[in-house]
Amino acid sequence: MRNAEIGRYGSDALKILAVAAVYYGSARLGLLQQLVRGQVTPLWPPTGVALAGLLVLGLRIWPGIALGAFLANASIGPSPLAVLGIVAGNTLAPVCAYLMLRRAEFREQLDRLRDVLALVFLGALAGMLISSTVGSGVLVLAGALKASAFWPTWSVWWTGDAMGVLVVTPFLLTLRRARWPRHAGLVRWIEAVALALGTLFATMLATHTTNSSLLFVVFPFLIWAAFRFQLAGAAPCALGVSTLAILAAAAETGPFAGQDLFDSMVTLQAFNGTTALTALLLAAVITERNKTHEELALVCTRLAGMVADIEPRPDSNDV
């Protein structure tokens, strides 16, 4: 029994350290595109990492989230006390989002429309209110931000955390369940490559042209990904599109050129939110439709077998 307990604690410790490492690594990537005070970004991948880790590994890995958040903020926080406040908010937000999702009977497969809606409203929009409010408030109290900058900072922080959940969490959950498609034919592979290249080309065109109406050219590819590949295609496409849009916004190119912070954030997050919702909702609806079709086909097969069993057979003695 003692050896089993030691093994379990050792396994949990490794998982906590792994979550902390991935959280810290994704935080460094997110900070490359900071827009406010060197630590507030339009896409904060660690929130998606944290929520995915909680959904897959359970609540016991929350110390890994706290440790990763501390390492990420220790060098950029205005003071040690402020860092602890930000770490508390960054830890509490995904934990509360996880608890709300579990209460809503959320399934990690994201194969039901209700699961996607729960992830959007409970995991992203509601849960991330905690980290943005605590973090922005701590920066104001520490004197790192003026009181007048609270709401602009809060809006960037909240949408960044929410986008982390919307685009990173589905991608990680899909990646965890991914298997090599052994039975996929050549045509299927060609279609997947064409989808990836088409999405990349359309996004580069949309984010490097000053005409903002061209942002809509990416949606046919998102719809294509959702219809043909469901979540396995929709989640990576949404992540790629959002990342390229953020890079364009940070560089102030394309439709984001010449805009102030507020206008740029409105355009960027409206675009990213719409792409993520389009991809996830369509993928869930198509998956539900396919499952319903399979279940109906199975029921019809069973009914046909039952009818065949009860049909009267001609008596072999009849002349």
Side-chain angles (χ1 to χ4, degrees):
M1 181 66 70
R2 184 179 298 274
N3 291 335
E5 291 180 355
I6 293 175
R8 181 169 60 85
Y9 291 142
S11 176
D12 289 346
L14 289 176
K15 292 176 181 177
I16 289 172
L17 292 176
V19 170
V22 177
Y23 188 104
Y24 176 77
S26 62
R28 301 311 302 176
L29 290 176
L31 289 173
L32 294 176
Q33 304 303 325
Q34 59 80 24
L35 295 181
V36 180
R37 206 201 160 271
Q39 65 187 105
V40 185
T41 75
L43 174 62
W44 187 239
T47 57
V49 171
L51 185 55
L54 289 168
L55 290 170
V56 173
L57 302 175
L59 193 58
R60 63 182 179 275
I61 57 94
W62 73 264
I65 300 172
L67 177 59
F70 176 79
L71 295 175
N73 288 279
S75 61
I76 58 177
S79 66
L81 189 60
V83 168
L84 292 178
I86 293 172
V87 168
N90 287 354
T91 304
L92 190 59
V95 168
C96 289
Y98 165 79
L99 294 175
M100 288 189 291
L101 289 175
R102 280 291 174 246
R103 185 68 181 270
E105 298 180 353
F106 175 83
R107 293 200 320 206
E108 293 84 356
Q109 293 84 355
L110 285 171
D111 55 355
R112 301 178 301 176
L113 181 60
R114 60 175 291 182
D115 296 324
V116 174
L117 294 176
L119 183 67
V120 172
F121 290 102
L122 299 179
L125 302 184
M128 298 307 115
L129 291 172
I130 299 172
S131 55
S132 58
T133 303
V134 172
S136 301
V138 165
L139 292 179
V140 171
L141 293 175
L145 287 177
K146 296 181 180 179
S148 59
F150 174 83
W151 287 113
T153 303
W154 181 92
S155 64
V156 177
W157 199 312
W158 177 60
T159 52
D161 282 2
M163 288 308 305
V165 171
L166 287 181
V167 301
V168 176
T169 298
F171 174 76
L172 293 178
L173 294 177
T174 302
L175 188 64
R176 174 177 176 264
R177 299 174 56 246
R179 299 292 184 272
W180 186 261
R182 297 179 179 178
H183 303 293
L186 179 61
V187 174
R188 187 70 165 172
W189 280 107
I190 293 175
E191 182 181 7
V193 173
L195 172 62
L197 294 178
T199 304
L200 176 62
F201 175 78
T203 307
M204 295 295 291
L205 175 66
T207 56
H208 287 77
T209 306
T210 56
N211 188 355
S212 59
S213 62
L214 285 179
L215 290 172
F216 294 99
V217 301
V218 304
F219 287 95
F221 294 93
L222 294 173
I223 295 171
W224 178 9
F227 267 90
R228 294 291 294 158
F229 298 94
Q230 286 79 61
L231 191 64
C237 284
L239 177 60
V241 169
S242 297
T243 301
L244 291 175
I246 290 168
L247 292 175
E252 298 183 358
T253 61
F256 309 102
Q259 295 186 358
D260 59 21
L261 176 61
F262 179 78
D263 292 337
S264 180
M265 282 300 301
V266 168
T267 303
L268 175 64
Q269 300 300 44
F271 172 71
N272 283 346
T274 306
T275 57
L277 289 176
T278 299
L280 295 179
L281 291 174
L282 271 179
V285 169
I286 298 303
T287 301
E288 277 194 322
R289 185 203 65 175
N290 292 343
K291 282 193 171 184
T292 302
H293 182 270
E294 293 174 0
E295 291 173 358
L296 287 176
L298 181 60
V299 170
C300 290
T301 302
R302 290 178 177 176
L303 286 176
M306 294 173 61
V307 170
D309 289 339
I310 64 176
E311 279 183 350
R313 293 183 173 84
D315 192 345
S316 57
N317 294 326
D318 291 343
V319 178

